[in-house]
């Protein structure tokens, strides 16, 4: 089932790299309305380092280097630097898949059967101050292929991992954030 | 229609015709925002996106996390304002700006943004002014410093509208607040 696939994924995957597509689905007057897709790339290395980069329709980077979390938006021309702690990591979906903390500490996990050619796992946050109500991870051949995040307002984020390389060699500076020239940097 | 007379450079013009851009009572605007303010112990920063829906006297603002989860839904109308957050009871107040300041810890000037998002404002001296690519800076009557550094290109008969707006103000409850907004979607109704 999905739970043992996920557990083996968590223990056997030290690094990963790939591409994602993200869509938002929100109920507008009762009928679901799918927003246009955002696409980008991701990479991670346990423990605690990941980079989640939106390339289209705009450029945005979320990077954790094990110590700090960097949030950069090209149009806003701004970098925000925060300390990495359980609160920033615990409930952020990117951190859930790639973070260092053990998922089951922060979430109740349960098999949710198969659909769309994947085995699904439901993760419900143990604390109620996380921004989403439920997160589902779809696995196939031992790696995540999709993630669904539902918040308590019925907003749904659908992420598909179009490419997922398991345990690639990553360059040493993969998780070294260099603020783009001219961007305003705010240390929190 | 009114000929688009050139806007005097420097001073924001005072009539919509000069800016060639009508004020839209009913409009949906979406984009991203980042925010800096003084929290009770340290400087706080927030990144996210927003969906702004305005029609008649009512404005609904949804604030979302970078990965698209709803952080807060704020509505402001003639009969007062409400603010909903996940896992929290609904809060309401007569004035939306105090409601956001008390609940979120930083003031989101929703009332002012009804005009400022479209580049219209009541200036310090009380006159109504309109920002344009040639006149980007306005200080509003209630002390917000607005800057319009980026504009959309005119397409489909729509004159350029603001693309990026920077707001700054010193506030009692949250110290120096600076908000940056980028507008991605602009749909007059």
């Amino acid at each position: 089932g999905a739970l043992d696939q996920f557990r083996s994924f968590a223990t056997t995957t030290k690094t990963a790299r790939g591409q994602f597509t993200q869509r938002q689905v929100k109920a507008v007057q009762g009928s679901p309305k799918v927003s246009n897709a955002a696409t980008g790339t991701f990479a991670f290395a346990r423990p605690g380092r990941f980079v989640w980069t939106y390339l289209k329709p705009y450029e945005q980077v979320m990077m954790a280097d094990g110590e700090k979390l960097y949030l950069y938006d090209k149009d806003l021309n701004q970098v925000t630097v925060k300390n990495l702690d359980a609160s920033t990591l615990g409930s952020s979906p990117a951190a859930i898949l790639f973070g260092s903390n053990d998922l089951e500490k922060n979430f109740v996990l349960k098999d949710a059967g198969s659909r769309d050619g994947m085995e699904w796992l439901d993760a419900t946050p143990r604390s109620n101050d996380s921004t989403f109500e439920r997160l589902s991870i779809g696995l196939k051949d031992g790696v995540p292929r999709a993630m669904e995040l539902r918040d308590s307002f019925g907003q749904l984020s659908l992420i598909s991992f179009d490419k997922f390389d398991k345990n690639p060699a990553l360059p040493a500076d993969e998780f070294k954030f260099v603020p783009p020239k001219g961007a305003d940097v705010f240390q929190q | 229609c009114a000929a688009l007379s050139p806007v005097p450079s420097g001073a924001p013009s005072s009539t919509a015709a000069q800016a060639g851009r009508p004020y839209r009572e009913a409009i949906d605007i979406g984009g991203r925002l980042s925010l800096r303010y003084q929290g009770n112990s340290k400087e706080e920063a927030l990144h996210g996106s927003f969906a702004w829906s305005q029609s008649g006297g009512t404005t609904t603002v949804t604030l979302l996390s970078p990965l698209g989860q709803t952080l807060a839904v704020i509505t402001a109308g003639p009969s007062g304002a409400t603010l909903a957050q996940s896992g929290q009871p609904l809060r309401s107040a007569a004035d939306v700006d105090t409601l956001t300041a008390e609940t979120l810890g930083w003031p989101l000037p929703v009332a002012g943004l009804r005009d400022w998002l479209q580049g219209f404002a009541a200036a310090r001296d009380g006159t109504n002014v309109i920002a344009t690519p040639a006149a980007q800076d306005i200080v509003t009557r209630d002390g917000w410093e607005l800057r319009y550094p980026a504009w959309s290109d005119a397409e489909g008969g729509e004159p350029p509208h603001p693309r990026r707006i920077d707001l700054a103000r010193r506030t009692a409850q949250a110290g120096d607040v600076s908000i940056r907004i980028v507008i991605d979607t602009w749909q007059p109704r």
Side-chain angles (χ1 to χ4, degrees), chain A residues 128-155:
Chain A
N128 62 16
D129 65 1
S130 103
T131 54
F132 50 87
E133 208 174 66
R134 196 180 70 240
L135 174 140
S136 308
I137 302 170
L139 294 115
K140 187 162 179 274
D141 313 329
V143 291
R145 277 286 172 221
M147 203 153 75
E148 292 174 358
L149 302 104
R150 182 178 299 280
D151 72 18
S152 47
F153 292 84
Q155 172 106 290

Side-chain angles (χ1 to χ4, degrees), chain B residues 44-113:
Chain B
E44 303 278 351
L46 175 95
H47 264 256
S49 60
F50 69 91
W52 176 282
S53 178
Q54 170 187 328
S55 83
T58 307
T59 307
T60 304
V61 189
T62 305
L63 297 175
L64 304 135
S65 71
L67 275 166
Q69 283 67 58
T70 306
L71 299 174
V73 179
I74 304 155
T75 59
S79 56
T82 63
L83 189 142
Q85 284 175 293
S86 61
Q88 313 255 355
L90 185 73
R91 304 194 42 163
S92 55
D95 164 55
V96 63
D97 290 0
T98 36
L99 179 61
T100 54
E102 277 157 15
T103 322
L104 302 174
W106 47 278
L108 177 67
V110 173
L113 281 167

Side-chain angles (χ1 to χ4, degrees), chain A residues 2 24 64 66 72-73 95 119 122 127 166 176 182 185:
Chain A
Q24 298 293 118
Y72 165 63
D73 184 301
E119 293 290 328
D122 275 355
S127 82
K166 188 176 170 183
K176 185 171 180 338
V185 181

Side-chain angles (χ1 to χ4, degrees), chain A residues 9-16 44-47 49 166-168 170:
Chain A
F9 162 73
T11 47
T12 61
T13 311
K14 292 286 167 268
T15 62
F44 75 82
R46 292 189 206 285
R49 289 173 298 156
K166 188 176 170 183
N167 291 329
L170 294 176

Side-chain angles (χ1 to χ4, degrees), chain B residues 71-165:
Chain B
L71 299 174
V73 179
I74 304 155
T75 59
S79 56
T82 63
L83 189 142
Q85 284 175 293
S86 61
Q88 313 255 355
L90 185 73
R91 304 194 42 163
S92 55
D95 164 55
V96 63
D97 290 0
T98 36
L99 179 61
T100 54
E102 277 157 15
T103 322
L104 302 174
W106 47 278
L108 177 67
V110 173
L113 281 167
R114 275 179 70 99
D115 297 335
W116 307 340
L117 279 179
Q118 299 187 43
F120 293 77
R124 200 195 289 278
D125 57 15
T127 57
N128 288 327
V129 291
I130 297 166
T132 65
Q136 302 187 353
D137 295 292
I138 297 176
V139 179
T140 70
R141 198 174 24 211
D142 50 4
W144 282 92
E145 288 156 41
L146 312 181
R147 163 157 299 190
Y148 293 83
W151 291 76
S152 74
D153 29 34
E155 356 82 9
E158 278 281 330
H161 59 74
R163 161 88 171 135
R164 183 175 142 199
I165 308 165

Side-chain angles (χ1 to χ4, degrees), chain A residues 151-162:
Chain A
D151 72 18
S152 47
F153 292 84
Q155 172 106 290
L156 185 58
S157 296
L158 302 176
I159 297 171
S160 65
F161 295 108
D162 313 321

